[in-house]
């Protein structure tokens, strides 16, 4: 029999062109695709429950007789049918009903219903249950397996899904080839069940199956598929990495005089974590294949200086370096830092953002193409078509983790010249939990700066209700009068830049009225880049005491003298974002403070989340909590791209499988390359194209 992944859905009886089109719209084209369209959840209709033991919230089947039926004219016209089975009474409530439907409920008729039990005004109720009227000689029937509920698309009822999957399962059971792709020897004991069995069980769980076990994702049949999906995903990234490693890059020898010059110049010693990471980079750069390295480090751990040393190594070998930041504000700051560090060493630096236009831009492009510019710093404008490098050997991307794998690839392609691909160094804004990094960044090598520069005392954080806003304002006044600087961060749920800007503007006005003698500045996303720069430099120079800002200052801004931060409505932000914001203080010698000025009353979850912020300043710990609370898409910033969306796996729930998955994927790639391809096709499918870039 033909392999099921080669049989179009139309080979199933009853699937015509129209259904095929509907199925295609949700990515289902073959019989195998149907089999992998697994139920979202299940209903237990395998048992009849006596009415007397029904509870609020239960989903259950009851068999009963109709006592009476009447139309009730209340706020909404409804049909009320009272039924009983000798153990109790229950009310069926319908809002939509026809006359003939109503007339069917005559006294004494036998009825079988399925629905969710609700507490009604006088008794337990089933709202709009599914029901069947039974004749006297008709046996009560129950389902033989748990009833699957499928994710669906317009025009497909649950019943159609059941019919469709029935047919696909029948084909599979009749010996249709569903390829077993995982080599049996590799499967962990707990998941050692055949793929066909796993699929069958999940579509039609036998009556004794514990729904709760399935709902928790812990059923062996699920774990079997979860394992396979995670392996498929891992393989796609490992393959990508393999491809990268087969490309050629520039061999760059050891760091030399320039690095020594920079060491000499900076007023601090590198931490041993920074040194270790630099060592890793140094080794990578000497290889003939491109480096693909991700540096993780907590906020303030000193990633930028590490990037500067890496840049010097490439520059000394005669190559160009590009440094890309996600926002102008941050790019601007890198420009200043690198200028301070590199200019004394005689290095030519160029600057490129999308607002550079006309003659100035042409002049910069000329410096880049001639090779005169040794290091080019900017935003994504660096990678526009007309920006041509003479000999780009290293691309440094800061705070990249809001971009997904395809952006990484696109970026690398742009740097491709003469068959050589530049080395890539990526720095994340905030730490990512290890398990998640293993899944999302399996195509990269990881370095971790797990140490903060000495002398930093952790920021002290307090939670304050907005009812005590005045006290906080007094505190700001006191701090500023003593020469300290502060941030006041305004947040809004709306993504709209202009609303955010407006809110910040109002706050700034109000605060400058209340805080006499205190110099208040304002920065938000709607300001022109030059204005932003002016404000930031004034703040950095100590000419502004209190900087009112939107979350534009979230990433990277570095003003060591600022030691107080107020965050309004922190309950609206994710933990990683709060951590990132708070990282703007605690950069200097003095003890820093952060007040989370929340809107009361706080819900229970919000309370817990803010308590995490109060109780720890460890970014890795916070990232773990954030992952639990918000899931991987949010933590990685890839929710929109769907990159970390799995069909059966759940990175948080299934993280214990990840170390095994990683090993198995590597073994499969090494020893069973064909199975690897097929696994990628099965589980990653449309996303595989990224691997081909
Ligand atoms: P992040 O890792 O958040 O990007 P930065 O690179 O902005 O952190 O560094 C934060 C601050 O710490 C900067 O002012 C930087 O100059 C300083 N710094 C970096 N490394 C050290 C070190 N080893 N000792 C002291 N200060 C350091
Ligand atoms: Mg940084």
């Amino acid at each position: 029999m033909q392999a099921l992944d080669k049989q179009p859905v139309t080979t199933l009886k009853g699937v015509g062109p129209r259904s095929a089109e509907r199925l295609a719209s949700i990515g289902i084209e073959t019989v195998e695709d149907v089999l992998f369209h697994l139920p979202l959840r299940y209903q237990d209709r395998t048992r009849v429950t006596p009415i007397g033991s029904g509870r609020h919230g239960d989903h259950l089947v009851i068999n009963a007789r109709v006592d009476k039926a009447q139309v009730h004219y209340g706020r909404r016209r409804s049909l009320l049918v009272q039924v009983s089975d000798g153990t109790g009474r229950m009310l069926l409530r319908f809002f939509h009903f026809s006359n003939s439907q109503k007339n069917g409920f005559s006294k004494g008729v036998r009825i079988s219903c399925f629905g969710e039990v609700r507490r009604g005004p006088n008794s337990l109720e089933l709202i709009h249950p599914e029901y069947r009227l039974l004749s006297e000689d008709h046996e009560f029937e129950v389902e033989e397996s748990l009833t699957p509920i499928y994710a669906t698309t317009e025009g497909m009822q649950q019943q159609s899904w059941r019919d469709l999957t029935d047919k696909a399962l029948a084909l599979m059971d009749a010996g249709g080839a569903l390829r077993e792709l995982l080599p049996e020897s590799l499967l962990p004991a707990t998941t050692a069940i055949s793929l066909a069995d796993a699929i069958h069980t999940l579509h039609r769980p036998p009556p004794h199956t514990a729904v709760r076990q399935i709902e928790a994702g812990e059923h062996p049949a699920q774990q079997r598929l979860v394992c396979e999906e995670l392996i498929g995903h891992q393989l796609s990234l490992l393959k990508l990495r393999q491809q990268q490693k087969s490309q050629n890059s520039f061999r760059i020898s050891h760091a030399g005089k320039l690095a020594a010059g920079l060491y000499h110049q900076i007023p601090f010693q590198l931490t041993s974590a920074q040194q270790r990471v630099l060592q890793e980079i140094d080794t990578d750069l000497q290889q003939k294949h491109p480096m693909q390295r991700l540096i993780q480090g907590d906020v303030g751990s000193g990633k930028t200086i590490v990037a500067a040393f890496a840049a010097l190594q490439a520059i000394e070998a005669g190559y160009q370096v590009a440094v890309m930041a996600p926002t102008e504000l941050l790019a601007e700051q890198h420009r200043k830092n690198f200028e301070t560090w590199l200019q004394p060493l005689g290095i030519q630096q160029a600057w490129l953002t999308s607002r550079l236009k006309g003659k100035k831009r042409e002049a910069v492009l000329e410096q880049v193409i001639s090779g005169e510019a040794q290091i080019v710093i900017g935003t994504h404008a660096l990678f526009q078509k007309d920006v041509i490098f003479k000999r780009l050997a290293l691309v440094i991307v800061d705070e990249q983790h809001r971009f997904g794998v395809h952006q990484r690839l696109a970026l690398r392609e742009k740097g491709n010249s003469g068959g050589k691909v530049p080395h890539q160094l990526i720095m994340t804004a905030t730490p990512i939990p290890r398990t998640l990094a293993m899944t999302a960044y399996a195509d990269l090598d990881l370095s971790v700066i797990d140490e903060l520069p000495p002398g930093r005392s952790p920021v002290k954080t307090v939670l304050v209700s907005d009812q005590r806003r005045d006290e906080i304002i007094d505190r700001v006044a006191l701090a500023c009068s003593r020469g300290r600087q502060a941030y006041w961060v305004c947040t809004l749920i709306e993504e709209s830049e202009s609303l955010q800007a407006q809110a910040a503007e109002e706050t700034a006005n109000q605060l400058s009225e209340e805080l006499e003698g205190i110099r208040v500045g304002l920065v938000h996303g709607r300001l022109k880049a030059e204005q932003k720069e002016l404000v930031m430099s004034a703040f950095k120079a100590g000419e502004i005491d209190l900087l009112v800002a939107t979350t534009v200052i979230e990433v990277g801004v570095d003003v060591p003298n600022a030691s107080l931060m107020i965050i309004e409505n922190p309950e609206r932000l994710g933990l990683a974002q709060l951590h990132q914001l708070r990282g703007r203080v605690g950069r200097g010698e003095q003890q820093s403070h952060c007040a989370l000025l929340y809107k009361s009353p706080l819900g229970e979850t919000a309370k817990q989340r803010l308590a995490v912020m109060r109780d720890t300043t460890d970014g890795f710990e916070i990232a773990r909590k954030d992952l639990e609370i918000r899931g991987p898409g949010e933590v990685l910033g890839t929710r929109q791209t769907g990159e970390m969306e799995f069909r059966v796996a759940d990175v948080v729930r299934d993280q214990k499988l990840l170390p095994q998955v990683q090993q198995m994927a590597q073994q499969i790639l090494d020893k069973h390359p064909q199975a690897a391809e097929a696994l990628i096709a099965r589980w990653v499918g449309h996303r595989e194209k990224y691997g081909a870039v």
Side-chain angles (χ1 to χ4, degrees), residues 268-271 274 298-305 341 453-454 456 558 587:
F268 49 78
Q269 297 229 303
L270 295 182
T271 61
Q274 284 171 316
D298 207 342
V299 176
S301 61
K303 295 180 284 281
T304 323
I305 190 77
W341 291 328
R456 299 258 178 89
D558 184 30
R587 304 190 145 236

mmCIF file of all heavy atoms in Angstrom, residues 268-271 274 298-305 341 453-454 456 558 587, ligand 1:
data_model
loop_
_atom_site.group_PDB
_atom_site.id
_atom_site.type_symbol
_atom_site.label_atom_id
_atom_site.label_comp_id
_atom_site.label_asym_id
_atom_site.label_seq_id
_atom_site.Cartn_x
_atom_site.Cartn_y
_atom_site.Cartn_z
ATOM 1 N N PHE A 268 38.548 49.262 34.093
ATOM 2 C CA PHE A 268 38.196 48.100 34.930
ATOM 3 C C PHE A 268 38.835 46.852 34.351
ATOM 4 O O PHE A 268 39.351 46.860 33.241
ATOM 5 C CB PHE A 268 36.677 47.926 35.012
ATOM 6 C CG PHE A 268 35.977 47.971 33.671
ATOM 7 C CD1 PHE A 268 35.994 46.861 32.836
ATOM 8 C CD2 PHE A 268 35.302 49.115 33.243
ATOM 9 C CE1 PHE A 268 35.349 46.889 31.605
ATOM 10 C CE2 PHE A 268 34.658 49.156 32.017
ATOM 11 C CZ PHE A 268 34.686 48.032 31.197
ATOM 12 N N GLN A 269 38.804 45.804 35.130
ATOM 13 C CA GLN A 269 39.294 44.512 34.665
ATOM 14 C C GLN A 269 38.121 43.697 34.184
ATOM 15 O O GLN A 269 37.027 43.786 34.751
ATOM 16 C CB GLN A 269 39.919 43.774 35.841
ATOM 17 C CG GLN A 269 41.108 44.481 36.419
ATOM 18 C CD GLN A 269 42.247 43.520 36.572
ATOM 19 O OE1 GLN A 269 42.107 42.494 37.236
ATOM 20 N NE2 GLN A 269 43.365 43.831 35.937
ATOM 21 N N LEU A 270 38.333 42.897 33.166
ATOM 22 C CA LEU A 270 37.242 42.030 32.717
ATOM 23 C C LEU A 270 36.970 40.980 33.778
ATOM 24 O O LEU A 270 37.892 40.500 34.442
ATOM 25 C CB LEU A 270 37.617 41.352 31.402
ATOM 26 C CG LEU A 270 37.805 42.277 30.202
ATOM 27 C CD1 LEU A 270 38.115 41.479 28.946
ATOM 28 C CD2 LEU A 270 36.551 43.137 29.981
ATOM 29 N N THR A 271 35.698 40.631 33.935
ATOM 30 C CA THR A 271 35.374 39.554 34.870
ATOM 31 C C THR A 271 35.854 38.244 34.258
ATOM 32 O O THR A 271 36.100 38.164 33.042
ATOM 33 C CB THR A 271 33.860 39.449 35.096
ATOM 34 O OG1 THR A 271 33.235 39.158 33.839
ATOM 35 C CG2 THR A 271 33.283 40.739 35.658
ATOM 36 N N GLN A 274 33.642 37.196 31.473
ATOM 37 C CA GLN A 274 33.892 37.911 30.212
ATOM 38 C C GLN A 274 35.129 37.345 29.519
ATOM 39 O O GLN A 274 35.136 37.135 28.304
ATOM 40 C CB GLN A 274 34.100 39.413 30.487
ATOM 41 C CG GLN A 274 32.809 40.167 30.782
ATOM 42 C CD GLN A 274 33.065 41.592 31.273
ATOM 43 O OE1 GLN A 274 33.945 41.824 32.109
ATOM 44 N NE2 GLN A 274 32.302 42.542 30.755
ATOM 45 N N ASP A 298 23.211 38.400 31.922
ATOM 46 C CA ASP A 298 22.192 39.195 32.568
ATOM 47 C C ASP A 298 22.388 40.662 32.213
ATOM 48 O O ASP A 298 23.462 41.071 31.755
ATOM 49 C CB ASP A 298 22.273 38.992 34.083
ATOM 50 C CG ASP A 298 20.922 39.214 34.739
ATOM 51 O OD1 ASP A 298 20.048 39.832 34.114
ATOM 52 O OD2 ASP A 298 20.757 38.762 35.886
ATOM 53 N N VAL A 299 21.351 41.421 32.439
ATOM 54 C CA VAL A 299 21.417 42.855 32.221
ATOM 55 C C VAL A 299 22.594 43.436 33.013
ATOM 56 O O VAL A 299 22.730 43.145 34.197
ATOM 57 C CB VAL A 299 20.099 43.496 32.712
ATOM 58 C CG1 VAL A 299 20.158 44.991 32.594
ATOM 59 C CG2 VAL A 299 18.932 42.926 31.955
ATOM 60 N N GLY A 300 23.444 44.191 32.349
ATOM 61 C CA GLY A 300 24.561 44.813 33.044
ATOM 62 C C GLY A 300 25.781 43.924 33.221
ATOM 63 O O GLY A 300 26.735 44.294 33.899
ATOM 64 N N SER A 301 25.772 42.742 32.614
ATOM 65 C CA SER A 301 26.902 41.830 32.803
ATOM 66 C C SER A 301 28.094 42.233 31.938
ATOM 67 O O SER A 301 29.165 41.654 32.048
ATOM 68 C CB SER A 301 26.484 40.389 32.514
ATOM 69 O OG SER A 301 26.049 40.271 31.183
ATOM 70 N N GLY A 302 27.902 43.212 31.067
ATOM 71 C CA GLY A 302 29.037 43.716 30.293
ATOM 72 C C GLY A 302 29.239 42.999 28.972
ATOM 73 O O GLY A 302 30.345 42.555 28.650
ATOM 74 N N LYS A 303 28.188 42.907 28.198
ATOM 75 C CA LYS A 303 28.294 42.244 26.898
ATOM 76 C C LYS A 303 28.956 43.158 25.863
ATOM 77 O O LYS A 303 29.665 42.689 24.980
ATOM 78 C CB LYS A 303 26.897 41.815 26.412
ATOM 79 C CG LYS A 303 26.267 40.755 27.317
ATOM 80 C CD LYS A 303 24.897 40.330 26.836
ATOM 81 C CE LYS A 303 23.802 41.337 27.119
ATOM 82 N NZ LYS A 303 23.290 41.324 28.498
ATOM 83 N N THR A 304 28.727 44.461 26.002
ATOM 84 C CA THR A 304 29.204 45.371 24.959
ATOM 85 C C THR A 304 30.725 45.369 24.838
ATOM 86 O O THR A 304 31.262 45.359 23.735
ATOM 87 C CB THR A 304 28.721 46.809 25.243
ATOM 88 O OG1 THR A 304 27.406 46.745 25.796
ATOM 89 C CG2 THR A 304 28.684 47.628 23.984
ATOM 90 N N ILE A 305 31.395 45.364 25.968
ATOM 91 C CA ILE A 305 32.858 45.421 25.906
ATOM 92 C C ILE A 305 33.402 44.127 25.289
ATOM 93 O O ILE A 305 34.403 44.126 24.580
ATOM 94 C CB ILE A 305 33.472 45.704 27.312
ATOM 95 C CG1 ILE A 305 34.959 46.009 27.204
ATOM 96 C CG2 ILE A 305 33.259 44.569 28.272
ATOM 97 C CD1 ILE A 305 35.272 47.388 26.720
ATOM 98 N N TRP A 341 36.072 53.850 23.089
ATOM 99 C CA TRP A 341 37.033 52.757 23.212
ATOM 100 C C TRP A 341 37.991 52.674 22.014
ATOM 101 O O TRP A 341 39.163 52.384 22.170
ATOM 102 C CB TRP A 341 36.292 51.418 23.348
ATOM 103 C CG TRP A 341 35.563 51.254 24.650
ATOM 104 C CD1 TRP A 341 35.922 51.766 25.868
ATOM 105 C CD2 TRP A 341 34.351 50.530 24.864
ATOM 106 N NE1 TRP A 341 35.014 51.402 26.830
ATOM 107 C CE2 TRP A 341 34.033 50.633 26.244
ATOM 108 C CE3 TRP A 341 33.500 49.787 24.048
ATOM 109 C CZ2 TRP A 341 32.913 50.029 26.815
ATOM 110 C CZ3 TRP A 341 32.389 49.184 24.608
ATOM 111 C CH2 TRP A 341 32.095 49.317 25.975
ATOM 112 N N PRO A 453 29.925 42.455 36.988
ATOM 113 C CA PRO A 453 31.139 43.152 37.428
ATOM 114 C C PRO A 453 31.072 43.382 38.935
ATOM 115 O O PRO A 453 29.984 43.546 39.489
ATOM 116 C CB PRO A 453 31.087 44.478 36.674
ATOM 117 C CG PRO A 453 30.263 44.205 35.469
ATOM 118 C CD PRO A 453 29.263 43.177 35.886
ATOM 119 N N PRO A 454 32.218 43.390 39.584
ATOM 120 C CA PRO A 454 32.232 43.523 41.045
ATOM 121 C C PRO A 454 31.715 44.894 41.473
ATOM 122 O O PRO A 454 31.697 45.840 40.687
ATOM 123 C CB PRO A 454 33.717 43.384 41.398
ATOM 124 C CG PRO A 454 34.449 43.699 40.138
ATOM 125 C CD PRO A 454 33.556 43.296 39.014
ATOM 126 N N ARG A 456 28.744 45.838 42.297
ATOM 127 C CA ARG A 456 27.341 46.191 42.049
ATOM 128 C C ARG A 456 26.509 45.653 43.195
ATOM 129 O O ARG A 456 26.615 44.485 43.538
ATOM 130 C CB ARG A 456 26.833 45.501 40.781
ATOM 131 C CG ARG A 456 27.595 45.886 39.553
ATOM 132 C CD ARG A 456 26.811 46.883 38.737
ATOM 133 N NE ARG A 456 27.583 47.290 37.568
ATOM 134 C CZ ARG A 456 27.531 46.662 36.414
ATOM 135 N NH1 ARG A 456 26.754 45.609 36.268
ATOM 136 N NH2 ARG A 456 28.253 47.074 35.405
ATOM 137 N N ASP A 558 22.420 53.213 29.242
ATOM 138 C CA ASP A 558 23.422 53.057 30.301
ATOM 139 C C ASP A 558 23.828 54.411 30.888
ATOM 140 O O ASP A 558 24.647 55.113 30.323
ATOM 141 C CB ASP A 558 24.643 52.330 29.703
ATOM 142 C CG ASP A 558 25.700 52.033 30.753
ATOM 143 O OD1 ASP A 558 25.341 51.830 31.934
ATOM 144 O OD2 ASP A 558 26.886 52.008 30.393
ATOM 145 N N ARG A 587 23.708 50.491 37.978
ATOM 146 C CA ARG A 587 24.876 50.391 37.112
ATOM 147 C C ARG A 587 26.066 51.136 37.691
ATOM 148 O O ARG A 587 27.150 51.078 37.135
ATOM 149 C CB ARG A 587 24.550 50.936 35.730
ATOM 150 C CG ARG A 587 23.371 50.238 35.133
ATOM 151 C CD ARG A 587 23.133 50.560 33.690
ATOM 152 N NE ARG A 587 22.639 49.343 33.072
ATOM 153 C CZ ARG A 587 23.177 48.744 32.034
ATOM 154 N NH1 ARG A 587 24.220 49.265 31.444
ATOM 155 N NH2 ARG A 587 22.686 47.618 31.578
HETATM 156 P P1 LIG B 1 24.860 44.639 29.071
HETATM 157 O O1 LIG B 1 25.430 43.274 29.252
HETATM 158 O O2 LIG B 1 23.550 44.802 29.785
HETATM 159 O O3 LIG B 1 24.792 45.064 27.647
HETATM 160 P P2 LIG B 1 26.812 46.719 29.263
HETATM 161 O O4 LIG B 1 27.688 46.149 28.238
HETATM 162 O O5 LIG B 1 25.987 47.899 28.893
HETATM 163 O O6 LIG B 1 25.859 45.601 29.839
HETATM 164 O O7 LIG B 1 27.673 47.041 30.548
HETATM 165 C C1 LIG B 1 27.142 47.676 31.662
HETATM 166 C C2 LIG B 1 28.139 48.612 32.317
HETATM 167 O O8 LIG B 1 29.159 47.863 32.955
HETATM 168 C C3 LIG B 1 28.849 49.512 31.346
HETATM 169 O O9 LIG B 1 28.934 50.781 31.926
HETATM 170 C C4 LIG B 1 30.211 48.878 31.177
HETATM 171 O O10 LIG B 1 31.202 49.797 30.801
HETATM 172 C C5 LIG B 1 30.458 48.316 32.535
HETATM 173 N N1 LIG B 1 31.350 47.147 32.586
HETATM 174 C C6 LIG B 1 31.463 46.160 31.686
HETATM 175 N N2 LIG B 1 32.353 45.225 32.080
HETATM 176 C C7 LIG B 1 32.793 45.627 33.287
HETATM 177 C C8 LIG B 1 33.739 45.085 34.223
HETATM 178 N N3 LIG B 1 34.369 43.935 33.990
HETATM 179 N N4 LIG B 1 33.954 45.772 35.358
HETATM 180 C C9 LIG B 1 33.313 46.934 35.594
HETATM 181 N N5 LIG B 1 32.435 47.496 34.768
HETATM 182 C C10 LIG B 1 32.169 46.861 33.623
#
